[in-house]
Amino acid sequence: MSPPLLQVNDLKKHFPVKTGLFGRKSEWVYAVDGVSFEIARGETLSLVGESGCGKSTVGRAILRLFDVTSGQVILDGQRIDDAHPSTMRQMRQRMQVVFQDPFSSLNPRMRVRDILAEPIRNFGLAKSAADLETRVTALMDTVRLPREALNRRPHEFSGGQRQRIGIARALAAEPELIVCDEAVSALDVSVKAQIVNLLQDLQREFGLALLFISHDLAIVEHMTHRVAVMYLGKIVEVAPRREIFAAPRHPYTKALLSAVPLPEPGAQRNPIILGGDVPSPINPPSGCRFHTRCPYVFDRCRTEEPQLRSAGGEQWVACHLDALPAG
Ligand code: SF4
């Protein structure tokens, strides 16, 4: 078996915050607290969970948008988390990002031509001015935008078209991995589907690996190979798409999936309503972090943290229950 393209080992990112009256107290936000996973070449792994669970922080840590607290991020056998800036520059070419909001991630003063030319120039990919022009026009074809639009600025496009420009900009660097951070969340339902289809086509065409960060399980269901579910800074379940949607095992995954609409008209899942709010990542619960909301909680859950263990095949679950609830 070939080695994974991306390996994340026991990744932690803790942020200092000031709390209390007049901000006199210093505390830590345990945004990501021991996360491990791998992504193969050409694979899509979806990282899902509620807002604030730490999934976007994982994406940003992989891209080294900040230094991690501890753990390792390894791209194609090379450490990123402690890489020298000169090495990091080469690594950045190999992993790109598409953000949620193309309004704020595209410079409104630049024409599309310059937005796409910038990464090609930065990474020295074009052999000549003619090659640069060929690459820029080919990118427009690839993301199915008209070439005439190269001279327009971002505000002249719809949200979906702007996201296509964001994808083209990511592709301009010829990456092997793209982190899609809630990349379709702000789009209308029909546009979402078009962008997801485009990403799938590009993945097939270029052999791209995708880390698809999303809170929208209905979208994930149609486009991912595997799913990793996060809760309060930890992965609680990871499994191939078919297994996790057919038979989620972790009580939190079961609750999340129970809210996903079924495709058949009129069909409904039995909704599982969780009690209480998501606890603060400043002071996460002891033991299993889900124990304050779990319908199956028992004594051990309050004191001992469950580790990911195999629930059969490639399905891994962090839960103390001996007989994990199926389906
Ligand atoms: Fe629920 Fe306990 Fe399993 Fe956590 S370890 S999910 S609290 S049963």
Side-chain angles (χ1 to χ4, degrees), residues 28-255:
W28 291 92
V29 176
Y30 298 91
V32 176
D33 207 17
V35 160
S36 303
F37 60 85
E38 297 177 349
I39 306 182
R41 290 173 197 280
E43 183 189 33
T44 300
L45 175 74
S46 294
L47 200 52
V48 304
E50 293 164 288
S51 170
C53 70
K55 56 192 188 301
S56 286
T57 306
V58 171
R60 282 155 207 248
I62 289 169
L63 295 159
R64 185 87 185 265
L65 298 183
F66 44 64
D67 287 337
V68 303
T69 305
S70 65
Q72 296 180 335
V73 179
I74 302 169
L75 184 75
D76 199 14
Q78 199 164 355
R79 290 269 299 267
I80 294 173
D81 52 277
D82 64 356
H84 187 271
S86 60
T87 312
M88 208 46 232
R89 198 178 138 70
Q90 295 163 10
M91 304 303 270
R92 285 227 160 83
Q93 184 206 332
R94 303 176 67 183
M95 43 182 205
Q96 292 289 304
V97 60
V98 178
F99 289 111
Q100 174 177 1
D101 182 4
F103 264 118
S104 58
S105 63
L106 298 174
N107 186 334
R109 288 189 295 273
M110 286 171 77
R111 294 182 195 279
V112 174
R113 177 184 303 284
D114 299 316
I115 290 171
L116 301 187
E118 193 173 53
I120 300 173
R121 280 202 198 94
N122 284 347
F123 295 118
L125 296 172
K127 294 181 197 74
S128 61
D131 184 25
L132 178 66
E133 182 63 17
T134 305
R135 284 169 180 263
V136 164
T137 49
L139 285 166
M140 294 297 271
D141 299 345
T142 302
V143 298
R144 295 157 210 164
L145 284 173
R147 292 181 181 187
E148 309 83 79
L150 277 169
N151 289 324
R152 295 200 227 136
R153 292 187 167 82
H155 72 269
E156 297 175 66
F157 295 87
S158 68
Q161 288 172 324
R162 269 194 294 267
Q163 204 52 302
R164 286 174 193 266
I165 298 168
I167 292 168
R169 181 180 58 180
L171 289 174
E174 299 182 350
E176 291 151 78
L177 169 73
I178 298 186
V179 175
C180 300
D181 188 1
E182 298 281 8
V184 299
S185 302
L187 304 174
D188 292 342
V189 176
S190 62
V191 183
K192 258 183 206 179
Q194 290 168 16
I195 297 294
V196 164
N197 289 341
L198 174 65
L199 284 169
Q200 286 180 297
D201 291 349
L202 297 177
Q203 179 171 53
R204 279 189 286 270
E205 190 175 344
F206 300 109
L208 290 166
L210 300 178
L211 176 61
F212 194 82
I213 297 168
S214 179
H215 67 276
D216 187 344
L217 283 133
I219 282 286
V220 162
E221 186 172 5
H222 299 290
M223 55 88 62
T224 199
H225 296 111
R226 286 187 303 134
V227 180
V229 180
M230 278 190 77
Y231 184 80
L232 263 186
K234 294 200 173 273
I235 290 180
V236 297
E237 182 162 4
V238 57
R241 172 181 56 118
R242 208 180 302 250
E243 278 83 336
I244 211 162
F245 281 94
R249 307 302 289 273
H250 193 281
Y252 177 62
T253 314
K254 288 162 75 70

Side-chain angles (χ1 to χ4, degrees), residues 250-251 288 290-291 294 296-298 301 306 318-321:
H250 193 281
C288 173
F290 187 55
H291 85 248
C294 180
Y296 303 95
V297 61
F298 57 106
C301 309
C319 177
H320 289 313
L321 286 175

